[in-house]
Amino acid sequence: MSDLLLEVEGLRKSFSGVAALREGRFSLRAGSVHALCGGNGAGKSTFLSIVMGIQERDGGTIRRRGRPVIFGSPKEALANGIAIVEQELSPIPAMTVAENIYLGREPVRWGQINFRAMNRAAQALLDDLGFAIRATDLMMDLSVAKVQLVEIAKALSYDAEVIIMDEPSSALGEHEADQMFDAIRTLKEKGKGIIYVSHRLSEIFDIADSYTVFRDGAYVGSGALANVTRNELIQMVVGRPLTEEFIKENVPGDRPLLEVCGLHAESGVFDVTFEARHGEIIALYGLMGSGRTEIFERLFGLSPDRGGEIRIDGQAVRIASPKDAKRLGLAYVTEDRKGSGLVLTGDVRSNICLAELGKLSRGPAMSTRAEARAARDMIQMFGIKAASDRLDVSGLSGGNQQKVVLAKWFLTEPRILLLDEPTRGVDVGAKREIYRIISEFARNGGAVLLVSSETDEVLGMADRVVVMRGGRVAGEVTRSDMSAETLVHMAA
Ligand SMILES: Nc1ncnc2c1ncn2[C@@H]1O[C@H](COP(=O)(O)OP(=O)(O)OP(=O)(O)O)[C@@H](O)[C@H]1O
Ligand SMILES: [Mg+2]
């Protein structure tokens, strides 16, 4: 029997006349991790959803172990040994972890769902994977990272031969990602094939054996990762060479813009002190749960004052609500773009103008024109790939949705940017654009607080790193002393 688990050729798909996929080609061997690479909107998710029977193809062939197949639904794909962890998660919030994992195939006893058996099976699965999650917890009580881990556990519970993972790490911290990588290595040893999508190149070189690149909906190339350099891969993805991945043009000034003194916050932030100067990019680094997001929530007035002082330009300020925060020039890009950043049912224009409604609405006619202009500027500034600004955000690729969230906040002309995973799901070319925008913002005197689980990004962009551990500041590292080892060591 051949070890080719999956072969795809000439796969095509258009959405209302616009080609999303022109020539999808791919092959997957048993016992390998194959990275599917490509920029935002290159057609990766479209390709995978056709393979999985979620969407219909316009043309092309798919062979499963040499046999031509077309799956009419994910259920059929699953029955043929293919499971997926989708890019956009859709858990049922009011259900438990176990119910989500076994949805539609619950163990039954005497005509009733056997909850005890189901909870036991789910817990065994989670424990096996080393995921610290209780099977009886409600999905709505879990962090984004844990929801992601549950989705991974669910895909693995089918014991499929082919496992597709569409950006599984984008919501995970370093620690959770390591747990997932361990799980992937075990699957590989068992002879399974894993299709892995990620915009994090370090990760790809770490975990994958082979790669395939799509660009503008078409196959560009494939091979063994051992035979390609990081720069060569970037060039295939972007279509031209990138001389450097990071753009950093800001130089920190002397005057503090934001001072945080002895700050306490709900859910475990204790006595946190640091400052960000005009023109400075500060990274808050730490494991998930180390208090980074909680600091942002306190600074943006989303959680109550529990003590400590916040000063802006030397003046003590009170931030009791997001309205206070915005008035003081803060903007907050949250880690969960669907939960708090984006209105998926709204179009690109209204989403971009969402945070700035006050400034733009001076009479209905004016507002439409001002909105249209503002949206156009932002679409250009961020290079948002959308056919029209009246298109629903849900039709954009993941990375382009992220850019809409950033654009929305830049429009408020903030002085202090709180960025929680700002390049999540953003491709290597667009990341560079975002770095340029962030460093230009700092160069013009703004201060940036950056939370990122991508160590490369912290090292590439931060002037100083405040390392958090268990809700406290574990130490500070300046740019000249930064290394991945130092940061990981201090945070653990
Ligand atoms: N349901 C849809 N309706 C209309 N257009 C769509 C739809 N789904 C995808 N597209 C378009 O198809 C193209 C490919 O999108 P796709 O989501 O496959 O990209 P991707 O490679 O997964 O990108 P990303 O890295 O950002 O996730 C994009 O231009 C996207 O806007
Ligand atoms: Mg995608």
Side-chain angles (χ1 to χ4, degrees):
M1 201 158 49
S2 141
D3 71 342
L4 272 181
L5 300 181
L6 201 64
E7 293 157 277
V8 184
E9 266 166 31
L11 208 62
R12 285 185 288 115
K13 176 75 182 173
S14 296
F15 293 105
S16 24
V18 183
L21 196 59
R22 293 181 289 127
E23 207 243 312
R25 190 195 309 172
F26 190 87
S27 66
L28 179 69
R29 287 190 182 281
S32 77
V33 180
H34 195 127
L36 178 55
C37 307
N40 295 131
K44 304 180 296 295
S45 296
T46 304
F47 174 84
L48 296 173
S49 67
I50 295 172
V51 170
M52 199 61 205
I54 298 167
Q55 304 207 56
E56 271 181 57
R57 62 181 178 170
D58 295 343
T61 57
I62 304 173
R63 278 194 294 275
R64 173 84 176 95
R65 280 202 177 274
R67 193 170 54 87
V69 288
I70 311 174
F71 302 130
S73 69
K75 224 175 164 162
E76 277 180 39
L78 279 166
N80 282 276
I82 309 178
I84 189 169
V85 182
E86 277 191 80
Q87 182 173 16
E88 301 298 332
L89 304 177
S90 44
I92 300 170
M95 283 191 170
T96 66
V97 169
E99 286 168 320
N100 262 274
I101 291 177
Y102 291 105
L103 188 66
R105 51 186 179 122
E106 297 86 352
V108 176
R109 196 179 183 207
W110 297 317
Q112 302 262 331
I113 293 179
N114 185 346
F115 283 98
R116 266 181 68 195
M118 185 169 77
N119 290 338
R120 212 168 331 122
Q123 196 62 60
L125 176 70
L126 293 163
D127 293 348
D128 234 25
L129 291 165
F131 299 168
I133 299 170
R134 269 200 308 271
T136 48
D137 280 348
L138 289 179
M139 292 302 285
M140 62 180 145
D141 294 335
L142 300 186
S143 64
V144 186
K146 294 215 160 138
V147 170
Q148 179 72 59
L149 290 180
V150 171
E151 292 288 331
I152 292 168
K154 180 176 181 169
L156 301 188
S157 71
Y158 293 98
D159 199 30
E161 192 177 38
V162 175
I163 297 122
I164 301 172
M165 297 181 143
D166 197 350
E167 289 192 51
S169 66
S170 68
L172 300 180
E174 195 115 4
H175 182 63
E176 287 87 355
D178 282 342
Q179 290 180 339
M180 179 185 72
F181 292 150
D182 285 343
I184 291 177
R185 287 190 190 101
T186 311
L187 292 170
K188 187 176 129 172
E189 278 160 25
K190 287 185 186 161
K192 315 241 172 191
I194 295 106
I195 304 176
Y196 192 86
V197 178
S198 171
H199 292 291
R200 301 177 172 185
L201 295 171
S202 304
E203 197 171 278
I204 287 174
F205 279 97
D206 202 22
I207 191 77
D209 311 292
S210 46
Y211 69 91
T212 291
V213 178
F214 286 180
R215 194 168 66 234
D216 297 330
Y219 170 91
V220 182
S222 59
L225 277 161
N227 300 334
V228 71
T229 66
R230 187 168 168 127
N231 276 335
E232 285 164 352
L233 192 63
I234 290 176
Q235 177 155 356
M236 272 191 257
V237 168
V238 183
R240 62 189 153 79
L242 279 192
T243 44
E244 58 207 339
E245 279 179 62
F246 297 95
I247 297 190
K248 184 164 168 58
E249 300 170 324
N250 66 302
V251 181
D254 303 323
R255 278 184 310 128
L257 174 50
L258 173 73
E259 292 165 275
V260 173
C261 311
L263 193 78
H264 289 257
E266 298 230 303
S267 48
V269 168
F270 312 100
D271 198 23
V272 166
T273 299
F274 66 87
E275 63 169 39
R277 289 175 230 150
H278 284 268
E280 192 169 37
I281 301 174
I282 300 277
L284 298 181
Y285 185 86
L287 299 177
M288 202 154 279
S290 60
R292 302 162 305 173
T293 299
E294 286 71 17
I295 292 176
F296 279 2
E297 286 175 348
R298 176 74 277 281
L299 288 175
F300 205 65
L302 287 164
S303 68
D305 189 346
R306 290 281 179 260
E309 195 170 80
I310 302 168
R311 285 195 289 269
I312 293 179
D313 265 332
Q315 296 278 326
V317 295
R318 218 178 70 88
I319 305 175
S321 67
K323 208 171 145 198
D324 288 346
K326 276 200 252 177
R327 188 171 36 78
L328 291 162
L330 284 112
Y332 179 22
V333 176
T334 59
E335 63 177 329
D336 176 11
R337 65 170 171 255
K338 260 165 112 187
S340 40
L342 216 55
V343 183
L344 282 177
T345 49
D347 61 23
V348 174
R349 186 196 295 180
S350 61
N351 264 285
I352 289 179
C353 298
L354 208 59
E356 210 22 25
L357 283 180
K359 235 188 245 174
L360 293 173
S361 57
R362 295 183 197 98
M366 270 289 282
S367 87
T368 319
R369 225 181 312 147
E371 271 192 31
R373 190 172 338 111
R376 203 178 48 230
D377 288 352
M378 287 292 138
I379 286 171
Q380 197 177 21
M381 176 167 162
F382 284 87
I384 295 168
K385 203 177 150 194
S388 141
D389 68 347
R390 303 265 72 166
L391 200 75
D392 269 10
V393 165
S394 56
L396 298 189
S397 74
N400 281 298
Q401 291 186 4
Q402 183 64 27
K403 288 196 242 169
V404 169
V405 177
L406 280 167
K408 170 181 109 169
W409 284 107
F410 264 84
L411 196 57
T412 67
E413 297 179 356
R415 292 196 300 159
I416 301 167
L417 272 182
L418 312 177
L419 303 176
D420 204 345
E421 306 287 356
T423 64
R424 191 163 132 196
V426 174
D427 71 42
V428 51
K431 265 184 189 165
R432 192 165 173 276
E433 280 301 291
I434 290 175
Y435 298 140
R436 184 183 56 71
I437 289 164
I438 292 173
S439 80
E440 191 175 297
F441 172 83
R443 202 181 54 189
N444 291 329
V448 180
L449 300 187
L450 169 71
V451 164
S452 170
S453 48
E454 236 188 307
T455 312
D456 289 348
E457 184 163 289
V458 170
L459 297 174
M461 293 307 291
D463 296 299
R464 208 144 42 86
V465 181
V466 175
V467 182
M468 300 287 304
R469 194 172 57 213
R472 294 174 194 277
V473 175
E476 269 193 28
V477 191
T478 52
R479 189 159 179 82
S480 49
D481 298 330
M482 271 179 218
S483 71
E485 294 73 39
T486 321
L487 296 182
V488 171
H489 181 74
M490 283 174 78

mmCIF file of all heavy atoms in Angstrom, residues 5-28:
data_model
loop_
_atom_site.group_PDB
_atom_site.id
_atom_site.type_symbol
_atom_site.label_atom_id
_atom_site.label_comp_id
_atom_site.label_asym_id
_atom_site.label_seq_id
_atom_site.Cartn_x
_atom_site.Cartn_y
_atom_site.Cartn_z
ATOM 1 N N LEU A 5 -1.317 9.464 1.690
ATOM 2 C CA LEU A 5 -2.639 9.471 2.320
ATOM 3 C C LEU A 5 -3.631 10.300 1.521
ATOM 4 O O LEU A 5 -4.823 10.025 1.511
ATOM 5 C CB LEU A 5 -2.530 10.036 3.735
ATOM 6 C CG LEU A 5 -1.613 9.289 4.696
ATOM 7 C CD1 LEU A 5 -1.630 9.961 6.056
ATOM 8 C CD2 LEU A 5 -2.022 7.831 4.807
ATOM 9 N N LEU A 6 -3.097 11.329 0.878
ATOM 10 C CA LEU A 6 -3.976 12.289 0.209
ATOM 11 C C LEU A 6 -3.219 12.908 -0.970
ATOM 12 O O LEU A 6 -2.058 13.296 -0.836
ATOM 13 C CB LEU A 6 -4.325 13.382 1.221
ATOM 14 C CG LEU A 6 -5.554 14.234 0.987
ATOM 15 C CD1 LEU A 6 -6.815 13.381 1.027
ATOM 16 C CD2 LEU A 6 -5.638 15.307 2.079
ATOM 17 N N GLU A 7 -3.887 12.961 -2.132
ATOM 18 C CA GLU A 7 -3.310 13.667 -3.281
ATOM 19 C C GLU A 7 -4.401 14.542 -3.888
ATOM 20 O O GLU A 7 -5.499 14.043 -4.151
ATOM 21 C CB GLU A 7 -2.872 12.685 -4.369
ATOM 22 C CG GLU A 7 -1.732 11.785 -4.020
ATOM 23 C CD GLU A 7 -1.789 10.552 -4.894
ATOM 24 O OE1 GLU A 7 -2.538 9.625 -4.549
ATOM 25 O OE2 GLU A 7 -1.123 10.554 -5.945
ATOM 26 N N VAL A 8 -4.065 15.788 -4.108
ATOM 27 C CA VAL A 8 -5.051 16.705 -4.672
ATOM 28 C C VAL A 8 -4.434 17.384 -5.886
ATOM 29 O O VAL A 8 -3.271 17.775 -5.862
ATOM 30 C CB VAL A 8 -5.471 17.774 -3.638
ATOM 31 C CG1 VAL A 8 -6.560 18.665 -4.208
ATOM 32 C CG2 VAL A 8 -5.946 17.123 -2.341
ATOM 33 N N GLU A 9 -5.237 17.499 -6.955
ATOM 34 C CA GLU A 9 -4.749 18.186 -8.152
ATOM 35 C C GLU A 9 -5.823 19.082 -8.741
ATOM 36 O O GLU A 9 -7.001 18.709 -8.764
ATOM 37 C CB GLU A 9 -4.345 17.156 -9.217
ATOM 38 C CG GLU A 9 -2.870 16.820 -9.168
ATOM 39 C CD GLU A 9 -2.556 15.583 -9.971
ATOM 40 O OE1 GLU A 9 -3.252 15.333 -10.973
ATOM 41 O OE2 GLU A 9 -1.621 14.857 -9.564
ATOM 42 N N GLY A 10 -5.395 20.248 -9.190
ATOM 43 C CA GLY A 10 -6.265 21.142 -9.958
ATOM 44 C C GLY A 10 -7.538 21.570 -9.259
ATOM 45 O O GLY A 10 -8.559 21.818 -9.903
ATOM 46 N N LEU A 11 -7.502 21.668 -7.965
ATOM 47 C CA LEU A 11 -8.724 22.020 -7.229
ATOM 48 C C LEU A 11 -9.085 23.486 -7.466
ATOM 49 O O LEU A 11 -8.226 24.367 -7.362
ATOM 50 C CB LEU A 11 -8.526 21.748 -5.736
ATOM 51 C CG LEU A 11 -9.783 21.413 -4.944
ATOM 52 C CD1 LEU A 11 -10.420 20.131 -5.474
ATOM 53 C CD2 LEU A 11 -9.452 21.262 -3.472
ATOM 54 N N ARG A 12 -10.343 23.728 -7.794
ATOM 55 C CA ARG A 12 -10.792 25.094 -8.117
ATOM 56 C C ARG A 12 -12.044 25.457 -7.328
ATOM 57 O O ARG A 12 -12.875 24.596 -7.040
ATOM 58 C CB ARG A 12 -11.147 25.186 -9.617
ATOM 59 C CG ARG A 12 -9.945 25.237 -10.538
ATOM 60 C CD ARG A 12 -10.373 25.459 -11.970
ATOM 61 N NE ARG A 12 -11.011 24.277 -12.569
ATOM 62 C CZ ARG A 12 -12.264 24.211 -12.949
ATOM 63 N NH1 ARG A 12 -13.055 25.278 -12.834
ATOM 64 N NH2 ARG A 12 -12.774 23.105 -13.469
ATOM 65 N N LYS A 13 -12.143 26.762 -7.011
ATOM 66 C CA LYS A 13 -13.341 27.254 -6.318
ATOM 67 C C LYS A 13 -13.472 28.761 -6.508
ATOM 68 O O LYS A 13 -12.526 29.515 -6.295
ATOM 69 C CB LYS A 13 -13.215 26.951 -4.820
ATOM 70 C CG LYS A 13 -14.344 27.482 -3.981
ATOM 71 C CD LYS A 13 -15.590 26.646 -4.147
ATOM 72 C CE LYS A 13 -16.749 27.190 -3.353
ATOM 73 N NZ LYS A 13 -17.986 26.449 -3.659
ATOM 74 N N SER A 14 -14.674 29.188 -6.917
ATOM 75 C CA SER A 14 -14.953 30.623 -7.011
ATOM 76 C C SER A 14 -16.099 30.980 -6.093
ATOM 77 O O SER A 14 -16.986 30.159 -5.842
ATOM 78 C CB SER A 14 -15.331 31.023 -8.439
ATOM 79 O OG SER A 14 -14.249 30.806 -9.300
ATOM 80 N N PHE A 15 -16.076 32.211 -5.598
ATOM 81 C CA PHE A 15 -17.204 32.746 -4.840
ATOM 82 C C PHE A 15 -17.786 33.899 -5.641
ATOM 83 O O PHE A 15 -17.075 34.864 -5.907
ATOM 84 C CB PHE A 15 -16.768 33.233 -3.462
ATOM 85 C CG PHE A 15 -16.316 32.118 -2.556
ATOM 86 C CD1 PHE A 15 -14.967 31.930 -2.301
ATOM 87 C CD2 PHE A 15 -17.234 31.271 -1.961
ATOM 88 C CE1 PHE A 15 -14.543 30.908 -1.465
ATOM 89 C CE2 PHE A 15 -16.817 30.246 -1.130
ATOM 90 C CZ PHE A 15 -15.474 30.061 -0.882
ATOM 91 N N SER A 16 -19.025 33.801 -6.006
ATOM 92 C CA SER A 16 -19.702 34.771 -6.879
ATOM 93 C C SER A 16 -18.764 35.310 -7.966
ATOM 94 O O SER A 16 -18.553 36.513 -8.099
ATOM 95 C CB SER A 16 -20.338 35.913 -6.070
ATOM 96 O OG SER A 16 -19.722 36.095 -4.827
ATOM 97 N N GLY A 17 -18.202 34.378 -8.719
ATOM 98 C CA GLY A 17 -17.404 34.747 -9.884
ATOM 99 C C GLY A 17 -15.958 35.085 -9.579
ATOM 100 O O GLY A 17 -15.136 35.218 -10.483
ATOM 101 N N VAL A 18 -15.611 35.259 -8.294
ATOM 102 C CA VAL A 18 -14.226 35.598 -7.956
ATOM 103 C C VAL A 18 -13.493 34.321 -7.515
ATOM 104 O O VAL A 18 -13.938 33.623 -6.604
ATOM 105 C CB VAL A 18 -14.167 36.649 -6.824
ATOM 106 C CG1 VAL A 18 -12.721 37.038 -6.532
ATOM 107 C CG2 VAL A 18 -15.004 37.863 -7.183
ATOM 108 N N ALA A 19 -12.363 34.050 -8.183
ATOM 109 C CA ALA A 19 -11.637 32.811 -7.881
ATOM 110 C C ALA A 19 -10.927 32.912 -6.539
ATOM 111 O O ALA A 19 -10.115 33.810 -6.320
ATOM 112 C CB ALA A 19 -10.633 32.529 -8.989
ATOM 113 N N ALA A 20 -11.251 32.002 -5.628
ATOM 114 C CA ALA A 20 -10.541 31.929 -4.350
ATOM 115 C C ALA A 20 -9.419 30.903 -4.464
ATOM 116 O O ALA A 20 -8.374 31.020 -3.850
ATOM 117 C CB ALA A 20 -11.494 31.535 -3.236
ATOM 118 N N LEU A 21 -9.666 29.894 -5.309
ATOM 119 C CA LEU A 21 -8.698 28.825 -5.520
ATOM 120 C C LEU A 21 -8.674 28.538 -7.017
ATOM 121 O O LEU A 21 -9.705 28.240 -7.606
ATOM 122 C CB LEU A 21 -9.155 27.590 -4.726
ATOM 123 C CG LEU A 21 -8.150 26.491 -4.484
ATOM 124 C CD1 LEU A 21 -6.939 27.003 -3.720
ATOM 125 C CD2 LEU A 21 -8.808 25.355 -3.715
ATOM 126 N N ARG A 22 -7.500 28.660 -7.622
ATOM 127 C CA ARG A 22 -7.409 28.447 -9.065
ATOM 128 C C ARG A 22 -6.790 27.095 -9.380
ATOM 129 O O ARG A 22 -7.192 26.395 -10.290
ATOM 130 C CB ARG A 22 -6.592 29.562 -9.725
ATOM 131 C CG ARG A 22 -7.299 30.925 -9.658
ATOM 132 C CD ARG A 22 -6.488 32.009 -10.326
ATOM 133 N NE ARG A 22 -5.305 32.340 -9.549
ATOM 134 C CZ ARG A 22 -4.067 32.349 -10.029
ATOM 135 N NH1 ARG A 22 -3.851 32.055 -11.286
ATOM 136 N NH2 ARG A 22 -3.049 32.673 -9.263
ATOM 137 N N GLU A 23 -5.761 26.744 -8.563
ATOM 138 C CA GLU A 23 -5.111 25.459 -8.819
ATOM 139 C C GLU A 23 -4.524 24.923 -7.523
ATOM 140 O O GLU A 23 -3.355 25.148 -7.215
ATOM 141 C CB GLU A 23 -4.016 25.635 -9.872
ATOM 142 C CG GLU A 23 -3.739 24.365 -10.655
ATOM 143 C CD GLU A 23 -2.317 23.856 -10.440
ATOM 144 O OE1 GLU A 23 -1.391 24.665 -10.538
ATOM 145 O OE2 GLU A 23 -2.168 22.658 -10.150
ATOM 146 N N GLY A 24 -5.348 24.247 -6.753
ATOM 147 C CA GLY A 24 -4.879 23.670 -5.494
ATOM 148 C C GLY A 24 -4.231 22.322 -5.743
ATOM 149 O O GLY A 24 -4.855 21.425 -6.298
ATOM 150 N N ARG A 25 -2.957 22.195 -5.382
ATOM 151 C CA ARG A 25 -2.256 20.913 -5.555
ATOM 152 C C ARG A 25 -1.562 20.577 -4.241
ATOM 153 O O ARG A 25 -0.994 21.470 -3.590
ATOM 154 C CB ARG A 25 -1.221 21.060 -6.674
ATOM 155 C CG ARG A 25 -0.621 19.721 -7.088
ATOM 156 C CD ARG A 25 0.639 19.886 -7.913
ATOM 157 N NE ARG A 25 0.500 20.798 -9.044
ATOM 158 C CZ ARG A 25 1.539 21.187 -9.796
ATOM 159 N NH1 ARG A 25 2.750 20.756 -9.524
ATOM 160 N NH2 ARG A 25 1.365 22.041 -10.776
ATOM 161 N N PHE A 26 -1.584 19.314 -3.876
ATOM 162 C CA PHE A 26 -1.075 18.965 -2.549
ATOM 163 C C PHE A 26 -0.961 17.463 -2.434
ATOM 164 O O PHE A 26 -1.761 16.731 -2.998
ATOM 165 C CB PHE A 26 -2.095 19.463 -1.503
ATOM 166 C CG PHE A 26 -1.609 19.380 -0.091
ATOM 167 C CD1 PHE A 26 -0.888 20.424 0.468
ATOM 168 C CD2 PHE A 26 -1.875 18.253 0.682
ATOM 169 C CE1 PHE A 26 -0.440 20.346 1.770
ATOM 170 C CE2 PHE A 26 -1.422 18.177 1.984
ATOM 171 C CZ PHE A 26 -0.705 19.226 2.530
ATOM 172 N N SER A 27 0.061 16.988 -1.723
ATOM 173 C CA SER A 27 0.068 15.563 -1.379
ATOM 174 C C SER A 27 0.652 15.353 0.006
ATOM 175 O O SER A 27 1.548 16.078 0.431
ATOM 176 C CB SER A 27 0.814 14.742 -2.432
ATOM 177 O OG SER A 27 2.166 15.098 -2.425
ATOM 178 N N LEU A 28 0.092 14.386 0.682
ATOM 179 C CA LEU A 28 0.427 14.151 2.083
ATOM 180 C C LEU A 28 0.864 12.705 2.292
ATOM 181 O O LEU A 28 0.178 11.772 1.872
ATOM 182 C CB LEU A 28 -0.806 14.437 2.957
ATOM 183 C CG LEU A 28 -0.650 14.219 4.464
ATOM 184 C CD1 LEU A 28 0.288 15.265 5.060
ATOM 185 C CD2 LEU A 28 -2.002 14.269 5.161
#
